[in-house]
Amino acid sequence: MKMLRNTVIRAGLEALYFSGAHYLLRPIFAGVGAIFMLHHVRPRRDVEFQPNYHLEVEPEFLRAVLAHLRSLNVDLVSMDEAHARLSQGNFARRFACFTFDDGYRDNRDFALPVMREFDAPMTVYVTSDFAEGTGRLWWVAMELALAKASSIEVPIGGVVTRLDASTPAAKQVAFDRLHEWLRSLPGELDVQREISALCTRYDVDETKIARDLCMSWDELKAFADEPLVTIGAHTITHCNLAKQTEATASFEIATSRMRIEAALQRPVLHLAYPYGDKIAAGQREFTLAKAAGFKTAVTTRPGMIFPESAGHLTALQRVSLNGNYQDERIIPVLTSGAATAMWNGFRRIDAA
């Protein structure tokens, strides 16, 4: 199903490109700006099985996006500046923000040098448990387990199910099945229980994944001193907030901010919701983010920024720079707003 969706999305992007429709739609749907969403920025790994590849782009693709925006005379701004422009109704010039979720070390090693070339600010949303070295990146753990196994047994729906993992293609099908199942479980403890069992069975040390991939507090302190860098919050554990009680969700949001501020000795005013789609962040979470004192909070709901976004500062839409669609031809499509407009049924704001 996921492969089919990716194929349909790519076909839609290419249809917009080859038809030239994005040029016609740009004046209507490009809005006043865009917030781009990224995770990893790093060179392509020489590994056949990469089920999380959609979460990474190569430095050259990021460079191409920035160069394209500069060619359009778009201002590259921080989230503080985006908040100021939205609050003041200052839409004389279009703007773009670049945001990076989770706090990966490659944001420092590969993204920051590219951002410096264009004097482009970047906001990195840190999951505090990842910085602590205690967090669990279950989607990476699942990839590592499947990479080792030729088959996997899991209790889907209470029934032990054997999934083929003998080839890269079979591993991908198994990954998609497991991902869908884990995201359907009632709570984070259920997800962690199943992932820990999987890691134990297939000899994966899930405790070292965050330390291997994410910046530590000491690394973040130096990184945060960079003039172009803003540090935001991404909760404590990277949980699905909508599945938590209101008290737990509030604690995850507010305490992540306090932990980062205490560690880095600087204010944290911007939030990204983990997963960030409609089943992970809704009106309750938008209200909690505002109550916790965040100026802005971003979702993963696709969309550009419009003047009306000023009324939804804790439910801001983003444009994904996705590893599955690293084609310089489609960059003008992504920045035109045409693709996200079609996805949203031509609604400008999706904050319900």
Side-chain angles (χ1 to χ4, degrees):
M1 181 62 71
K2 188 177 291 186
M3 292 178 65
L4 175 61
R5 184 183 68 177
N6 290 339
T7 300
V8 170
I9 291 173
R10 173 170 286 280
L13 291 170
E14 291 184 346
L16 285 168
Y17 170 77
F18 285 114
S19 69
H22 60 291
Y23 288 115
L24 299 175
L25 295 173
R26 179 181 293 276
I28 305 170
F29 294 112
V32 298
I35 302 172
F36 291 98
M37 173 180 65
L38 302 96
H39 291 78
H40 292 282
V41 177
R42 60 190 180 190
R44 180 90 190 238
R45 294 173 292 153
D46 187 20
V47 180
E48 193 169 3
F49 175 57
Q50 297 188 48
N52 290 304
Y53 182 62
H54 64 289
L55 295 176
E56 59 187 81
V57 300
E58 296 173 48
E60 281 303 316
F61 184 71
L62 175 59
R63 183 175 286 111
V65 175
L66 288 159
H68 173 71
L69 292 168
R70 284 291 191 212
S71 74
L72 295 177
N73 205 26
V74 172
D75 292 344
L76 305 178
V77 306
S78 66
M79 285 301 296
D80 282 331
E81 176 63 17
H83 174 265
R85 292 191 185 192
L86 284 167
S87 300
Q88 298 163 12
N90 177 10
F91 307 129
R93 292 176 57 84
R94 293 192 67 242
F95 66 84
C97 300
F98 283 77
T99 63
F100 302 75
D101 291 6
D102 299 337
Y104 296 113
R105 189 171 290 111
D106 55 57
N107 294 175
R108 178 197 67 191
D109 296 345
F110 294 105
L112 180 58
V114 176
M115 303 303 281
R116 282 181 181 143
E117 291 176 27
F118 294 86
D119 193 30
M122 59 189 296
T123 296
V124 176
Y125 297 108
V126 170
T127 302
S128 59
D129 272 3
F130 295 173
E132 196 74 32
T134 60
R136 299 292 190 266
L137 287 77
W138 62 266
W139 54 97
V140 179
M142 193 164 66
E143 176 180 345
L144 295 175
L146 278 164
K148 287 187 168 190
S150 59
S151 66
I152 273 187
E153 290 187 349
V154 287
I156 298 177
V159 178
V160 175
T161 304
R162 181 184 291 271
L163 301 176
D164 179 26
S166 59
T167 67
K171 291 178 191 293
Q172 183 64 60
V173 171
F175 182 92
D176 292 344
R177 179 92 181 271
L178 287 172
H179 191 279
E180 182 180 5
W181 167 57
L182 288 167
R183 285 214 63 190
S184 72
L185 293 177
E188 296 303 311
L189 291 177
D190 301 292
V191 174
Q192 192 52 57
R193 180 190 67 244
E194 299 301 339
I195 286 294
S196 294
L198 195 67
C199 289
T200 298
R201 284 198 299 273
Y202 299 99
D203 193 28
V204 171
D205 184 357
E206 61 174 328
T207 65
K208 69 189 292 287
I209 295 172
R211 297 193 299 274
D212 287 346
L213 293 178
C214 299
M215 286 181 276
S216 67
W217 288 126
D218 285 343
E219 290 173 302
L220 284 166
K221 287 174 186 175
F223 183 61
D225 285 337
E226 294 282 346
L228 292 173
V229 171
T230 297
I231 301 296
H234 201 36
T235 73
I236 301 170
T237 63
H238 200 282
C239 64
N240 182 328
L241 291 168
K243 289 188 175 183
Q244 312 306 313
T245 65
E246 183 168 335
T248 299
S250 178
F251 181 81
E252 283 272 349
I253 291 170
T255 305
S256 66
R257 177 187 180 188
M258 291 188 289
R259 286 187 180 179
I260 299 168
E261 288 181 335
L264 304 185
Q265 293 296 296
R266 63 185 64 233
V268 174
L269 302 172
H270 306 282
L271 173 74
Y273 305 106
Y275 312 110
D277 53 17
K278 289 185 178 182
I279 64 172
Q283 285 296 332
R284 186 192 70 171
E285 289 67 45
F286 305 156
T287 300
L288 290 174
K290 184 176 181 180
F294 287 101
K295 285 184 176 180
T296 71
V298 293
T299 69
T300 63
R301 301 184 188 197
M304 309 298 279
I305 301 300
F306 296 93
E308 305 96 292
S309 301
H312 306 279
L313 291 172
T314 56
L316 295 173
Q317 300 163 156
R318 290 192 284 179
V319 177
S320 175
L321 295 182
N322 187 309
N324 290 331
Y325 315 116
Q326 287 188 82
D327 185 336
E328 291 190 24
R329 295 178 308 173
I330 68 170
I331 294 173
V333 177
L334 293 174
T335 61
S336 72
T340 53
M342 292 182 66
W343 182 272
N344 289 327
F346 298 99
R347 290 173 299 152
R348 288 153 67 100
I349 302 294
D350 181 15

